[in-house]
Amino acid sequence: MDNKHYLDSNRDLWDRLAPLHEQSKFYDVDAFRSGQSTLLDIERQEVGSVERKKLLHLQCHFGLDTLSWAREGADVTGVDFSSEAIDIARLLADEIGISAKFVCSNIYDLRDHLTGEFDIVFTSGGVLCWLPDLKKWAEIASHFVKPGGIFYVREFHPFSNIFDDENEVDKPTVRYPYFHSDKPMRFENEGSYASSTSDVRNISYEWFHPLSDIISSLVGAGFKIDFLHEFPFISYQSHPFLEQGSDGMWRYPESPNSIPLMFSIRASK
Ligand SMILES: C[S@@+](CC[C@H](N)C(=O)[O-])C[C@H]1O[C@@H](n2cnc3c(N)ncnc32)[C@H](O)[C@@H]1O
């Protein structure tokens, strides 16, 4: 099967998940409506001031992070290939009176649907596993970053992705590959990380990308890496053996600094 089949299938899945996520406790849209930001502190600190800057958010889902950046003063454009997610994002923006542009497009086709250059291209939290080709991803990101601008990604660490996240294991247990394969892994679950409903039979096709591929694709697309940071905590319970701390982050309690669970990269052009 070619990648089109996998991407079409994933897009159908995200179309079904978007309205469920909008209603979910995980995304807590009411808290967002009442002014809470969905951005992580590290994202705000590491991206820096976005005041009056043009920000492009790749794989924006239904727009909560995009709109949170707008509340920080950015002129925002969000992109996602799920039309359901984009419809919700536009309605939310209207409802709360935030000016934002949302584009429905596969990011691999984005040059056909969006023009202009941005001070900041941002993406975060569960994005890379949906992408078969990181070289093209980095080229698209580079295309939209203006000279002197930055690209920023905050993502779940690929090393942590090798561990079993489905069975009730109380210790990190290797289950998945670290390195990339052109053929995606097929997963079948009920619901999603944000919605436990069994109404959605969740078949997804996902690709693993080692850190070396992520860095090399950005360098290959002409970026200079400003920093790569690795964090021994993560923003949600990605694995059953993690425990939540008083700061809201999840760690491996037995050895809190032993496993990288998230990373961030800022790169400039
Ligand atoms: C886990 S969500 C991102 C979550 C986001 N960080 C948040 O919490 O709102 C992944 C998103 O990527 C989008 N996506 C996946 N593959 C894509 C592609 N090729 N082009 C555009 N969007 C894509 C999905 O529709 C989904 O909204």
Side-chain angles (χ1 to χ4, degrees):
M1 263 187 273
D2 63 6
N3 284 339
K4 182 176 180 324
H5 166 82
Y6 300 128
L7 292 175
D8 285 350
S9 170
N10 285 343
R11 196 193 52 237
D12 288 348
L13 171 68
W14 282 109
D15 275 342
R16 283 181 288 125
L17 288 178
L20 296 173
H21 285 186
E22 185 201 11
Q23 301 298 326
S24 69
K25 186 72 202 121
F26 184 95
Y27 279 98
D28 199 356
V29 174
D30 281 340
F32 173 77
R33 279 192 179 98
S34 61
Q36 199 165 296
S37 173
T38 55
L39 300 169
L40 300 187
D41 288 344
I42 52 170
E43 292 168 343
R44 274 192 295 248
Q45 285 156 14
E46 294 184 339
V47 169
S49 169
V50 299
E51 194 79 42
R52 285 187 297 279
K53 296 209 171 130
K54 281 185 72 183
L55 184 148
L56 174 63
H57 181 188
L58 301 178
Q59 294 174 254
C60 68
H61 201 26
F62 62 99
L64 294 188
D65 284 357
T66 325
L67 297 170
S68 293
W69 282 121
R71 281 178 172 158
E72 305 270 328
D75 169 5
V76 297
T77 302
V79 177
D80 202 282
F81 72 174
S82 159
S83 59
E84 294 288 335
I86 290 296
D87 285 350
I88 295 169
R90 287 178 180 146
L91 284 173
L92 260 176
D94 281 353
E95 179 196 324
I96 54 183
I98 295 180
S99 162
K101 176 175 172 178
F102 286 100
V103 180
C104 184
S105 168
N106 187 326
I107 60 160
Y108 289 118
D109 303 328
L110 191 55
R111 282 176 281 208
D112 299 333
H113 299 276
L114 181 68
T115 54
E117 288 185 321
F118 294 80
D119 300 293
I120 299 159
V121 174
F122 169 87
T123 194
S124 76
V127 286
L128 299 183
C129 63
W130 307 103
L131 303 179
D133 188 332
L134 285 196
K135 275 191 186 149
K136 282 194 191 141
W137 163 79
E139 283 162 16
I140 305 270
S142 174
H143 173 85
F144 285 104
V145 175
K146 75 177 192 194
I150 63 159
F151 172 74
Y152 178 88
V153 52
R154 193 272 308 162
E155 181 56 298
F156 310 129
H157 201 293
F159 179 73
S160 72
N161 291 342
I162 69 174
F163 298 118
D164 193 343
D165 56 354
E166 288 185 347
N167 299 305
E168 283 304 312
V169 289
D170 59 0
K171 293 227 170 348
T173 308
V174 174
R175 176 165 179 190
Y176 305 114
Y178 179 71
F179 292 99
H180 178 78
S181 161
D182 287 338
K183 190 171 178 327
M185 296 264 305
R186 181 182 186 279
F187 294 94
E188 190 164 342
N189 288 305
E190 285 185 354
S192 76
Y193 58 92
S195 171
S196 56
T197 175
S198 54
D199 294 351
V200 175
R201 201 161 136 263
N202 170 344
I203 295 173
S204 65
Y205 297 98
E206 301 180 32
W207 290 266
F208 291 82
H209 300 290
L211 204 49
S212 51
D213 284 2
I214 299 166
I215 297 277
S216 299
S217 63
L218 291 169
V219 171
F223 284 112
K224 170 181 139 321
I225 305 295
D226 297 332
F227 57 72
L228 158 66
H229 291 154
E230 295 171 286
F231 304 98
F233 53 80
I234 190 164
S235 50
Y236 79 114
Q237 190 178 18
S238 57
H239 295 83
F241 52 80
L242 302 182
E243 277 182 18
Q244 195 168 28
S246 54
D247 59 355
M249 292 291 152
W250 297 79
R251 292 173 176 79
Y252 179 40
E254 272 187 39
S255 187
N257 287 323
S258 59
I259 303 175
L261 293 168
M262 294 197 299
F263 74 91
S264 63
I265 297 172
R266 197 181 74 194
S268 50
K269 214 173 96 177

